[in-house]
Amino acid sequence: MTDTRKILVTCALPYANGSLHLGHILEHIQTDIWVRFQKTRGHQTHFVCASDAHGTPIMLKAEELGQKPEDMVSAIRDEHMQDCSRFLVNFDNFHSTHSEENKALAQHIYTQLEQANCITKKTIEQLYDPEKQMFLPDRYVKGECPSCGAPDQYGDNCEVCSSTYSPVELKNARSTVSNATPVLKKSEHYFFELGQFQGMLENWTKSGTLQDQIANKLGEWFEAGLQAWDISRDAPYFGFNIPGTTDKFFYVWLDAPIGYMSSFKNLCDKTGLNFDEFWAKDSSAELHHFIGKDIINFHGLFWPAMLEGAGYRKPTGVHAHGFLTVNGTKMSKSKGTFIKAQTYLEHLEPEFLRYYFAAKLTNRVDDLDLNLEDFAQRVNSDLVGKYVNIASRCAGFITKLFDGKLADEILKPELLAEFTSASEKIADLYEKRDFSKAIREIMTLADKANQFIADEAPWVLAKNDETKARCHQVCSDALNLFRILTIYLKPVLPALADKVSEFLNDELIWENIEQSLSNHSIEKFKPLLQRLDLKKIEAMVDASKQSLAADDSSTKKAAKTKSAKTDKKPQSGSDEIEAIAPEIEFDDFAKLDLRIAKIVSAEHVEGADKLLKIQVDLGGVQKQIFAGIKSAYQPEDLAGKLTVVVANLKPRKMRFGMSEGMILAAGPGGKDLWILNPEDGAQPGMRVK
């Protein structure tokens, strides 16, 4: 055992405008496993979270539902807490960013930053909805793409041709809130001068606080220099007023991470914990954030800079995970794989999912796939066929033949020692969040326990009086091995571990792992798990289709609001179908000059999430093209490949430079996006017919 540590742990605050789905639950389970492990090891660990309750989407959805925003977010908070509790996610406190604690801390931090000359003001021009009388963020404006003419595109980028632009460049722009034609209007905004902290952030991001993948990604921001961050929004807006104003509000991403502090402050006020021990500049406690990879910019740049400027400590670790896919693709409403937490819980055991996620989670930022067939096979094979099978094969003999008491001595001390000696290796894997390797180690031990039972065959030994004593020892050894495995699995399967604890009459404490149960009474064995029936999974998928179809038909307008990306990341797994552009004549298509091009070089574009800057060779003519294929390809993997480009597309000046063509790609998006790599023998400049 190591010295006792003081640890504060958070996971990202779920946005209070809708139900949790399995993508949210992935993060909550990952964090809960790590927290339970730390508590099992005896460390003083506190796990807090809250509802992220502010922003334009929440304001508009509450209006759509005819509710006050405060009432809506309170009801959703209760729903989120219940869902998490049923998945055995054990928060020490679950608060709300719409709270007095968060208001006081947000205004205090802002004031500290203002006094440190980290806040500036400047007038900007934005589109304004004259009917709704509100400024429109980019994602609340739609119109025709100024580049390709595709209709119904958002105000920041085209989902058809991947062009990026300003919302004022959209043709026939309209407000998605009222359908009115927006107008330009000026407003004074408040900015946090992030660039003042560039040196600190460059050192901090390389200090081991972040995964290497994330640190390298954030490094792209430093190349062009960090820019000031707009932290204000104009009324009407659901949030907290900026001190000294009546019509200016904190942008939701300013007060959202402060919700970690305010939730802990609320816990301190209820329990007597010392807030400063965990948040003061010189704190020796640990602070760990578990988040999705899509919000790393806020947690890896803006948040530590705010803390530094306001005189607080920075996180010890920011641990990002990838997205959840189901059956290899993005969660889909039409396929029934966009699964709400509540829908899952109506059909399947929560610990099945906890185990499957643990078996696949690494400490990298890779996406995790929930393959439903593999899910059933893994649960049935590992939990029922290997782990629980140890107890079910041996417990009955102890109860029937030996008065429910384990043997005085261990038959195979070397086997028991092999199990206990794995303790620190498994603990290290849990500590490093490499849960999949920890599970593999545990299941390897489970295989050895089952092999020991098969070799000894206690069902044969029990039939002969001369070998009954050995049967007693074999079954006692097996249950001691089962006890050790349960201690290792306890952070993942807490409810099942409680049942085993009752069965074995043992507290299952990690530090007592080497103390075997000898001459020890156990209770009568009761079935611990039932096999996972594929029919239940099929029923869950069908129920998901029905539930989400009902949601879509009854809340179409609210769904448009929820899809906006301005103040929050979109709900992952949406099953949107891109609009098909208006029909064209064959003569229009014939105007396209499609040619084979060799990719000479590719590089990241500073400030662009989807774009790569690519140089192509069209048989002696080189062109520069900005292509939205960053989610599928790394720049270094593209050089030398052949692809097809629209060679005669009129050059267009973009925010990042001149784009002189278009690379053709296809696919549903994300990693599943493919450039066409022509057949061998194609030469740069050849025309495609």
Side-chain angles (χ1 to χ4, degrees), residues 629-644:
I629 58 174
K630 188 174 180 177
S631 61
Y633 295 95
Q634 291 298 315
E636 59 270 19
D637 297 332
L638 288 172
K641 286 186 178 293
L642 298 179
T643 187
V644 176

Side-chain angles (χ1 to χ4, degrees), residues 398-418:
I398 299 294
T399 303
K400 295 175 183 177
L401 302 179
F402 308 109
D403 297 324
K405 185 171 287 190
L406 301 182
D408 292 340
E409 297 180 357
I410 298 299
L411 177 66
K412 297 282 186 178
E414 67 281 4
L415 181 59
L416 196 69
E418 182 180 356

Side-chain angles (χ1 to χ4, degrees), residues 124 126 189-192 228-233 251:
I124 65 172
Q126 288 179 283
H189 274 232
Y190 292 64
F191 290 80
F192 173 50
W229 177 39
D230 189 345
I231 60 168
S232 66
R233 293 295 182 267
Y251 172 41

Side-chain angles (χ1 to χ4, degrees), residues 9-51:
V9 186
T10 76
C11 56
L13 313 184
Y15 202 41
N17 73 336
S19 298
L20 298 181
H21 55 66
L22 296 191
H24 298 114
I25 296 301
L26 167 64
E27 180 176 300
H28 294 323
I29 287 176
Q30 179 191 31
T31 315
D32 183 74
I33 290 172
W34 198 75
V35 168
R36 287 181 182 272
F37 164 72
Q38 300 297 350
K39 291 183 176 182
T40 298
R41 298 283 280 177
H43 301 305
Q44 181 188 336
T45 311
H46 308 285
F47 181 19
V48 301
C49 194
S51 283

Side-chain angles (χ1 to χ4, degrees), residues 376-394:
Q377 191 277 333
R378 181 76 66 96
V379 167
N380 290 335
S381 172
D382 287 5
L383 293 185
V384 179
K386 294 182 181 180
Y387 165 63
V388 171
N389 191 49
I390 298 168
S392 62
R393 294 170 88 183
C394 298

Side-chain angles (χ1 to χ4, degrees), residues 377-611:
Q377 191 277 333
R378 181 76 66 96
V379 167
N380 290 335
S381 172
D382 287 5
L383 293 185
V384 179
K386 294 182 181 180
Y387 165 63
V388 171
N389 191 49
I390 298 168
S392 62
R393 294 170 88 183
C394 298
F397 294 112
I398 299 294
T399 303
K400 295 175 183 177
L401 302 179
F402 308 109
D403 297 324
K405 185 171 287 190
L406 301 182
D408 292 340
E409 297 180 357
I410 298 299
L411 177 66
K412 297 282 186 178
E414 67 281 4
L415 181 59
L416 196 69
E418 182 180 356
F419 274 53
T420 58
S421 65
S423 170
E424 291 309 306
K425 181 177 182 180
I426 292 171
D428 184 60
L429 293 170
Y430 271 124
E431 177 67 42
K432 293 177 178 176
R433 307 172 321 284
D434 209 342
F435 299 160
S436 65
K437 287 185 179 178
I439 294 298
R440 284 201 296 273
E441 291 290 331
I442 295 167
M443 285 301 134
T444 297
L445 293 176
D447 285 335
K448 292 182 178 182
N450 279 292
Q451 187 61 53
F452 163 67
I453 296 169
D455 290 344
E456 292 288 343
W459 48 89
V460 176
L461 298 174
K463 295 177 181 179
N464 191 323
D465 288 341
E466 295 179 0
T467 55
K468 275 187 179 180
R470 189 173 181 88
C471 173
H472 192 194
Q473 288 182 309
V474 167
C475 292
S476 298
D477 275 19
L479 291 180
N480 269 291
L481 300 177
F482 178 69
R483 169 185 174 270
I484 295 168
L485 294 175
T486 306
I487 291 173
Y488 293 152
L489 288 169
K490 190 174 181 180
V492 179
L493 307 171
L496 188 57
D498 285 345
K499 293 180 182 178
V500 175
S501 177
E502 183 178 345
F503 158 57
L504 292 179
N505 285 319
D506 184 74
E507 294 183 88
L508 302 177
I509 298 174
W510 198 300
E511 65 179 350
N512 295 339
I513 203 161
E514 295 185 2
Q515 298 177 11
S516 59
L517 304 181
S518 300
N519 194 28
H520 177 87
S521 295
I522 63 171
E523 302 297 325
K524 184 177 180 180
F525 180 78
K526 299 176 183 177
L528 297 172
L529 276 182
Q530 298 296 324
R531 292 180 62 83
L532 201 170
D533 190 340
L534 277 172
K535 291 181 179 179
K536 290 187 176 182
I537 294 179
E538 293 167 1
M540 176 186 69
V541 170
D542 289 341
S544 295
K545 293 178 184 178
Q546 296 167 14
S547 170
L548 289 161
D551 288 348
D552 288 346
S553 63
S554 63
T555 59
K556 286 184 178 179
K557 185 174 180 181
K560 290 181 180 179
T561 299
K562 285 189 284 184
S563 70
K565 297 183 180 178
T566 308
D567 291 327
K568 234 27 215 176
K569 63 183 180 185
Q571 296 285 340
S572 63
S574 61
D575 191 30
E576 299 174 359
I577 299 176
E578 293 181 355
I580 297 176
E583 290 181 347
I584 62 173
E585 299 292 337
F586 180 80
D587 289 344
D588 295 321
F589 175 75
K591 295 177 183 178
L592 296 178
D593 187 358
L594 303 180
R595 291 184 182 266
I596 303 297
K598 181 178 181 179
I599 297 176
V600 178
S601 65
E603 60 187 79
H604 294 291
V605 179
E606 180 66 30
D609 292 334
K610 299 180 180 179
L611 294 179

Side-chain angles (χ1 to χ4, degrees), residues 123-140:
T123 299
I124 65 172
E125 201 170 38
Q126 288 179 283
L127 290 179
Y128 183 82
D129 186 327
E131 289 188 18
K132 193 67 177 176
Q133 295 187 342
M134 63 178 285
F135 284 95
L136 294 170
D138 296 352
R139 302 294 288 187
Y140 283 92

